[in-house]
Amino acid sequence: MKDMIFGKNEILAASVISRSFESGDEDVIALDRIDLVFQSGTYVALCGPSGCGKSTLLNILGLLDEPSSGVLTLFGRPLNGFDHWDRAKLRREHFGYLFQDGGMIERLSVEENIAAPMLYRGINRGRFEARLDDLLNLFGLASKKRKSVSQLSMGERQRVGLARATIARPAIIVCDEPTASLDEYNSNIVSDYLRSLALDGVLVICATHDPIVYDKCDIVIRMSSGRII
Amino acid sequence: MGYYTHKIALRWALISLLGRKLTSFILILSLTLAISVLFICSSIVSGFTKQVEHLTFGEFNRSLKITQNVIAGQDNGPPTLRDRAAIERTVQSVESTAGWTSEPVTMLTNTVKINTMIYGAIGDYRREIDADILVGRWLTDHEINNYNRLCLIGYELFLRSDEDVRVGQIIYIDNLSCRVIGIVGLPRSMMAREFSQSIITSLRNVEKYRSYENSDNQNLDWLTVYTKNYKNRHDLEINVDKLLRKMHSIPMKYISPYSYRDNALSKENIERHNSAFKQLIYVINGIIMLSVFITYAVMNIYSLKERRREFSIRLSIGGYPSDMVKQVAWEHTIISSFGSIGGLLFGMLGSLAASALGGWPIYLHWSSGFVAVLAGWFTSGCVCWWVAMSVSKTPPALASKP
């Protein structure tokens, strides 16, 4: 495991983060006092066995979920007291997401799925048409741009998801098992692209089991039973 | 940077509805069904109500029948031709009048002798008869207002004479000859039935059959006044009574020598029956609409369960909760619009089909149609509000759970 690099480029930090869930009468602790600091331009892998809390931590770091206790800091600003509206605003401004199954909106076409984050940001199609075409070409999806995503293979869906996560040039990209359902060829495409994003200054955080991914990461964080080991 | 626009929300709402064709179809169908059922039932009820009213009253529900008030004594009344002229000239809202007398007579044809009634009229006499002419023609305005020995025969009297009466034939009424110029068909309303069993002629002709005691040629058995508006009938009665009292110098403190048979009073009885009938139909309708609206709500709840991940993905890729609300609102607007148009269209076609196939009297009741549309929109709005609130609270973390 490479050492974590802390410095002035710190953009995201978790301080004594815990997360517990109610299961019947008892609380199940999914995360136990996690302390982490992330810098821009870093490719980070969260590894560990199933149920160790990778996805829970990823959801909290990606502002998809809230910690039960502890403080999350984004660009030096603690997020305590932020409501769901404020979090939605931060997600829109700074985050891109790549989910295990691509997280497609099934009824939309390939290009509509990729363009959705820009449309939610109120950007006219004309202003991002060139970037959309670039991404479609980059991921070999140009010929399928008008197809429904439900007609795509898993590898193609994941590439669509990756294009969608990056179209708005977010500062942080959060990926949950991005290569879990992919063959080696597609896994390499996804991982190489994530690596290149990190080189461009994006913070990429991946929950993964896949050596193809974590071998290319700057930092590998290993987790077990809700703790970093 | 602009904002996520309604145009995009509308487009995604359309895509979403088209992507769930069966669900969307059932939602639109349920609204269409609810609206059209209410529209059809209201149209049928309305048609029946109007038919019952017409069968019962014909033109009588806009009329005031003035006779002598027997309780008040014989000093004044019955109404006279002079009263009729004054009412026509003075009272506003009077459309027309008809004065009538009647006498028992004996009718003699070539082969039969029948005891019957003869009705003499002056003025707008055809409304009260409320039937079509079967053979021949009506008495003209000139003929009804003058002496001429021409008459009409009611259809039931024609049957009683073993059909021994022809148009153009001379019959004898109390030994005075009279030419039949028309046979009147069956009346459309119950109140006009008396004319079907009688001879109808001009008031001047009937004077020839009157006994000496009744021979005051100014007197009428009854005077019918038609108002322009059914709702004016109470005002009409007050105004006519005032005028007649003034003409005959009868102070208001004395009982009126005239009796006003307001057919609207009977109409109110009919309306009570109709109202009970309407209530029954509307309760049945309400149950149908409620069932359909519950189906609508359940379908939406079921559909929402399926769509929670989609909304969580939308929230994770930059959508605000308000953006989700916008999309859901557009989806419901589209469904409600199609449901409303479909409901009114199918309601109208269904009503016409029921009328054509079943021979049911239909009167398209647009106000009920629009009430049904409002009820549909209200239901859709409530369900939409509930769905929108649920959607806006969808945890975005669901997006990471395939």
Side-chain angles (χ1 to χ4, degrees):
Chain A
M1 180 180 166
K2 297 170 189 175
D3 290 336
M4 287 185 70
I5 305 159
F6 299 107
K8 59 184 177 182
N9 291 332
E10 172 187 320
I11 56 171
L12 182 64
S15 174
V16 208
I17 292 279
S18 296
R19 181 72 166 101
S20 55
F21 298 99
E22 278 182 23
S23 174
D25 291 339
E26 54 185 82
D27 277 359
V28 176
I29 297 170
L31 290 178
D32 190 10
R33 288 164 292 161
I34 302 287
D35 280 306
L36 284 170
V37 178
F38 298 96
Q39 285 188 325
S40 58
T42 319
Y43 189 10
V44 183
L46 296 175
C47 299
S50 296
C52 69
K54 301 188 296 290
S55 294
T56 308
L57 178 60
L58 203 67
N59 284 344
I60 289 172
L61 294 173
L63 308 193
L64 297 176
D65 196 6
E66 290 181 61
S68 305
S69 64
V71 179
L72 199 67
T73 307
L74 183 67
F75 296 107
R77 192 175 168 198
L79 304 186
N80 288 29
F82 274 52
D83 62 13
H84 70 296
W85 179 272
D86 299 325
R87 289 174 172 275
K89 196 162 182 274
L90 292 174
R91 283 197 299 270
R92 177 182 283 191
E93 286 172 0
H94 304 297
F95 285 84
Y97 300 87
L98 178 59
F99 301 109
Q100 191 175 339
D101 63 344
M104 300 288 100
I105 302 169
E106 296 297 332
R107 291 168 194 105
L108 299 186
S109 68
V110 168
E111 62 176 352
E112 282 170 332
N113 257 287
I114 298 172
M118 301 301 265
L119 296 174
Y120 274 127
R121 283 161 174 79
I123 300 168
N124 289 330
R125 176 92 185 220
R127 289 176 58 196
F128 65 85
E129 190 78 55
R131 174 147 176 81
L132 180 64
D133 288 341
D134 286 348
L135 286 169
L136 286 167
N137 288 325
L138 180 67
F139 290 107
L141 296 165
S143 60
K144 296 181 176 176
K145 65 178 184 179
R146 296 201 197 285
K147 271 195 171 178
S148 166
V149 288
S150 55
Q151 294 173 290
L152 300 183
S153 69
M154 191 51 79
E156 288 168 331
R157 288 165 75 90
Q158 208 62 334
R159 279 183 270 155
V160 173
L162 197 50
R164 189 180 66 188
T166 55
I167 190 166
R169 301 184 196 278
I172 304 163
I173 292 181
V174 175
C175 314
D176 191 4
E177 306 280 5
T179 58
S181 323
L182 304 184
D183 56 23
E184 194 178 337
Y185 171 74
N186 279 304
S187 295
N188 273 311
I189 291 176
V190 170
S191 190
D192 288 344
Y193 187 65
L194 291 173
R195 171 78 252 171
S196 70
L197 288 173
L199 290 173
D200 286 345
V202 177
L203 168 62
V204 181
I205 309 170
C206 279
T208 185
H209 290 103
D210 190 349
I212 294 174
V213 177
Y214 62 68
D215 281 352
K216 290 170 185 167
C217 284
D218 300 317
I219 301 162
V220 178
I221 300 169
R222 296 199 183 274
M223 294 184 69
S224 176
S225 304
R227 291 185 175 195
I228 294 170
I229 51 173
Chain B
M1 189 174 285
Y3 291 94
Y4 168 72
T5 61
H6 279 288
K7 194 177 158 189
I8 297 166
L10 172 61
R11 180 172 155 66
W12 281 350
L14 273 170
I15 290 171
S16 172
L17 290 176
L18 288 171
R20 297 175 294 132
K21 286 192 183 74
L22 184 63
T23 309
S24 307
F25 176 72
I26 292 172
L27 288 174
I28 292 171
L29 187 69
S30 61
L31 277 184
T32 300
L33 197 68
I35 292 167
S36 58
V37 162
L38 183 62
F39 193 22
I40 291 171
C41 286
S42 302
S43 299
I44 290 173
V45 168
S46 202
F48 268 114
T49 305
K50 284 194 187 300
Q51 177 142 347
V52 166
E53 274 174 27
H54 192 83
L55 286 172
T56 313
F57 300 111
E59 288 278 353
F60 281 74
N61 63 357
R62 290 199 295 130
S63 70
L64 189 67
K65 193 170 179 178
I66 307 167
T67 54
Q68 183 175 23
N69 185 358
V70 287
I71 302 167
Q74 300 294 316
D75 293 345
N76 285 294
T80 64
L81 287 175
R82 201 165 69 89
D83 295 335
R84 174 179 170 256
I87 289 168
E88 276 200 338
R89 201 173 51 244
T90 317
V91 181
Q92 285 184 346
S93 85
V94 169
E95 199 170 57
S96 63
T97 61
W100 291 87
T101 56
S102 62
E103 283 292 321
V105 289
T106 305
M107 181 183 89
L108 183 67
T109 67
N110 293 334
T111 54
V112 291
K113 185 178 178 182
I114 301 169
N115 291 324
T116 183
M117 293 292 288
I118 186 164
Y119 286 93
I122 187 165
D124 191 3
Y125 74 107
R126 282 170 55 177
R127 283 189 175 193
E128 244 158 307
I129 295 171
D130 194 22
D132 293 323
I133 198 85
L134 210 62
V135 190
R137 64 174 178 84
W138 291 103
L139 289 157
T140 62
D141 287 347
H142 179 75
E143 286 165 350
I144 201 73
N145 293 327
N146 290 286
Y147 175 69
N148 44 41
R149 291 200 179 185
L150 299 173
C151 69
L152 302 165
I153 301 290
Y155 186 68
E156 287 179 63
L157 181 60
F158 167 70
L159 294 179
R160 273 179 71 197
S161 72
D162 297 332
E163 303 182 15
D164 187 30
V165 179
R166 297 279 177 274
V167 170
Q169 181 184 334
I170 302 289
I171 58 169
Y172 291 90
I173 304 168
D174 281 358
N175 298 323
L176 286 171
S177 64
C178 190
R179 184 183 297 277
V180 177
I181 61 159
I183 294 168
V184 179
L186 279 172
R188 282 182 283 262
S189 56
M190 280 168 62
M191 296 190 78
R193 195 147 174 231
E194 58 188 321
F195 298 109
S196 182
Q197 297 156 352
S198 314
I199 303 163
I200 301 140
T201 186
S202 76
L203 186 81
R204 300 295 177 201
N205 291 350
V206 174
E207 283 163 9
K208 298 287 175 193
Y209 308 109
R210 289 211 150 194
S211 60
Y212 179 75
E213 291 80 22
N214 292 337
S215 67
D216 183 352
N217 64 5
Q218 289 291 305
N219 282 357
L220 301 167
D221 281 2
W222 77 88
L223 172 62
T224 306
V225 179
Y226 294 99
T227 176
K228 287 170 187 164
N229 187 346
Y230 158 74
K231 287 176 185 162
N232 289 340
R233 67 189 194 283
H234 292 302
D235 289 343
L236 180 70
E237 182 179 329
I238 291 165
N239 292 335
V240 167
D241 191 53
K242 268 187 194 169
L243 176 70
L244 294 181
R245 280 172 184 272
K246 193 176 170 187
M247 285 176 68
H248 298 282
S249 307
I250 303 159
M252 291 301 281
K253 64 182 177 183
Y254 295 124
I255 188 168
S256 175
Y258 302 100
S259 172
Y260 301 94
R261 197 171 122 202
D262 184 353
N263 290 300
L265 292 176
S266 319
K267 185 178 164 60
E268 277 158 14
N269 280 331
I270 294 278
E271 274 180 352
R272 271 202 287 277
H273 290 290
N274 282 342
S275 168
F277 177 53
K278 275 182 191 170
Q279 275 175 19
L280 176 71
I281 293 287
Y282 288 144
V283 165
I284 294 168
N285 244 314
I287 293 166
I288 293 170
M289 285 184 77
L290 193 67
S291 320
V292 172
F293 289 151
I294 287 171
T295 309
Y296 183 84
V298 169
M299 284 294 295
N300 267 290
I301 293 165
Y302 177 74
S303 164
L304 179 64
K305 262 186 156 180
E306 272 187 336
R307 301 179 66 198
R308 284 177 79 83
R309 181 149 193 257
E310 179 198 323
F311 285 112
S312 66
I313 291 168
R314 288 181 181 276
L315 284 168
S316 72
I317 61 171
Y320 285 163
S322 59
D323 297 336
M324 307 301 116
V325 171
K326 251 185 225 175
Q327 183 181 330
V328 169
W330 273 115
E331 285 176 14
H332 282 265
T333 303
I334 294 165
I335 287 170
S336 303
S337 302
F338 278 102
S340 303
I341 294 166
L344 289 178
L345 198 67
F346 279 102
M348 193 174 70
L349 293 176
S351 300
L352 296 176
S355 175
L357 297 174
W360 288 6
I362 300 285
Y363 176 80
L364 290 180
H365 205 264
W366 288 103
S367 55
S368 290
F370 288 117
V371 166
V373 167
L374 282 180
W377 276 83
F378 178 74
T379 308
S380 176
C382 291
V383 172
C384 170
W385 180 81
W386 185 85
V387 170
M389 288 304 105
S390 305
V391 159
S392 66
K393 288 174 189 159
T394 302
L398 278 181
S400 63
K401 291 177 183 162

